[in-house]
Amino acid sequence: RNFSGLMNDASYSLARLWISTFRDYFSQSVLDFILGNQKASDVFRTIIDLRSREPDYALQLSRTREAAVEASTAIVVHDGECVLLACIVHTPMALNTLKVRETADAVMVLTDGAVYICSYDYQLEKVSRFQRIELESIYTVQHGAYITDTLAPHSLDQARNHGVMLYFTTSETQSDIKVELPDQSAEGAIASAPTEDLSSKVEGSISAQATADPRDPAEGRSVSPAVVAAATPVKSFVACKLASEVQVVMQSVASSSGTGAPASLMRLGALEGQSPELLAECVCSAIQSAKSRAGQVDASRFIVESPIISAVTAKQSTSLVDKVSNRLYKALWV
């Protein structure tokens, strides 16, 4: 035995310690559950927290989501708008839809003029599509429990499963509005403004059509009922569920140099550590404050606190196939 062999043995011992402590954490939890040292709820929570226990996983995910927020704001936010709040949400990316099989990881950006919901592709590192909702078209915001899964105990925790719903008027009746963006450079800028987005469908339609009169004032002729029906705004909603793990919250901060440089984004660590329930309240309050500064809101009826999807409703909507599949999964897993 020499010094080299001693170092090899030490490295093998450290490797075994690393594997048994971090890589084999799930197996140890299963053994504890079989021996009766852990409850089923503890094991389910182990599944959720397993990846977060990996070294640097939370840090890498936080940096990835921070880059997603920065890229989304640089691409979709109109010039002259100030980012009041930006955070990570899970959303169906469809209007008038609460629950789909798989929700997309998206970025919600609140500015002093609109709310953007951006679907970000982490592999391509660009915004695949987004929805733009003018603040003046939002007439109610709702926050409450948003239960989308009832098969795991942690999914029924209302504090961790909280969401926000935006009710607004639009002339569109379709349930999904997709926007294809132009080519995006590496710096996250775009060559020109999007040719067709929700603002062109909502902003122009609401401002021009909502105030339309059934009679043409210039000609004094009656407008056909079909035209009046097309000009009538339609009430729609979009639902967003706040991310419960590794949340990223950012806000634009004006440059301190005073040279007219563009504002930069700063992370709000105080909000990132809060529960999704409290963050949802902050989002609703920020939207109300932005509309209040523009004199567009009735504070007494603007924010509604009510479950978006309650636990009872979620359990009733869970199909028999999902329940059987979950039981088979648990049986094979144990």
Side-chain angles (χ1 to χ4, degrees), residues 242-284:
L242 278 301
S244 59
E245 303 292 341
V246 195
Q247 178 62 266
V248 173
V249 184
M250 305 188 74
Q251 183 183 47
S252 63
V253 179
S255 176
S256 59
S257 60
T259 58
S264 58
L265 293 177
M266 179 186 67
R267 295 187 60 167
L268 303 178
L271 287 179
E272 292 178 356
Q274 301 297 331
S275 64
E277 182 178 3
L278 181 59
L279 183 57
E281 296 179 3
C282 294
V283 171
C284 294

Side-chain angles (χ1 to χ4, degrees), residues 40-42 44-45 149-158 161:
S41 59
D42 297 332
F44 274 110
R45 185 171 292 275
D149 182 19
T150 61
L151 302 179
H154 71 275
S155 301
L156 299 176
D157 188 357
Q158 296 187 8
N161 297 270

Side-chain angles (χ1 to χ4, degrees), residues 2-273:
N2 52 20
F3 181 75
S4 176
L6 180 63
M7 294 302 297
N8 287 334
D9 292 341
S11 63
Y12 293 151
S13 299
L14 291 176
R16 287 193 296 269
L17 177 63
W18 174 270
I19 293 174
S20 63
T21 304
F22 297 101
R23 300 293 181 179
D24 201 29
Y25 183 80
F26 176 73
S27 299
Q28 185 62 46
S29 298
V30 173
L31 292 176
D32 292 339
F33 173 69
I34 294 176
L35 295 175
N37 298 328
Q38 278 192 358
K39 298 180 180 179
S41 59
D42 297 332
V43 180
F44 274 110
R45 185 171 292 275
T46 299
I47 299 176
I48 301 303
D49 298 339
L50 180 62
R51 294 183 64 188
S52 63
R53 292 178 181 270
E54 293 290 335
D56 299 331
Y57 169 76
L59 180 61
Q60 294 176 2
L61 181 58
S62 176
R63 290 177 177 175
T64 302
R65 287 182 166 177
E66 180 180 352
V69 173
E70 292 177 346
S72 299
T73 54
I75 292 171
V76 304
V77 174
H78 288 189
D79 295 336
E81 292 185 350
C82 177
V83 178
L84 304 178
L85 193 68
C87 60
I88 302 297
V89 298
H90 306 296
T91 175
M93 283 303 294
L95 300 182
N96 307 322
T97 303
L98 288 179
K99 185 178 179 181
V100 294
R101 178 64 61 176
E102 293 183 0
T103 57
D105 199 6
V107 178
M108 172 185 282
V109 182
L110 168 64
T111 69
D112 51 3
V115 175
Y116 300 85
I117 301 176
C118 313
S119 178
Y120 188 81
D121 192 327
Y122 289 101
Q123 295 181 348
L124 300 178
E125 297 183 352
K126 70 174 186 178
V127 177
S128 57
R129 53 178 175 156
F130 71 95
Q131 297 176 353
R132 186 176 192 271
I133 306 172
E134 290 288 337
L135 278 181
E136 62 182 8
S137 66
I138 300 175
Y139 60 89
T140 300
V141 293
Q142 175 186 350
H143 69 90
Y146 197 169
I147 309 297
T148 56
D149 182 19
T150 61
L151 302 179
H154 71 275
S155 301
L156 299 176
D157 188 357
Q158 296 187 8
R160 298 182 59 183
N161 297 270
H162 222 74
V164 175
M165 285 185 63
L166 307 179
Y167 295 88
F168 59 98
T169 54
T170 174
S171 61
E172 293 295 329
T173 57
Q174 60 191 46
S175 60
D176 190 8
I177 300 179
K178 299 182 179 180
V179 180
E180 296 296 334
L181 296 179
D183 294 335
Q184 305 171 19
S185 63
E187 292 77 9
I190 54 178
S192 60
T195 56
E196 185 181 16
D197 63 356
L198 192 59
S199 62
S200 63
K201 299 174 181 293
V202 175
E203 182 182 9
S205 301
I206 297 302
S207 59
Q209 298 177 2
T211 57
D213 188 80
R215 296 186 59 84
D216 189 346
E219 302 292 336
R221 296 173 297 180
S222 298
V223 182
S224 64
V227 175
V228 175
T232 303
V234 178
K235 294 183 178 181
S236 304
F237 68 83
V238 61
C240 299
K241 183 177 181 179
L242 278 301
S244 59
E245 303 292 341
V246 195
Q247 178 62 266
V248 173
V249 184
M250 305 188 74
Q251 183 183 47
S252 63
V253 179
S255 176
S256 59
S257 60
T259 58
S264 58
L265 293 177
M266 179 186 67
R267 295 187 60 167
L268 303 178
L271 287 179
E272 292 178 356

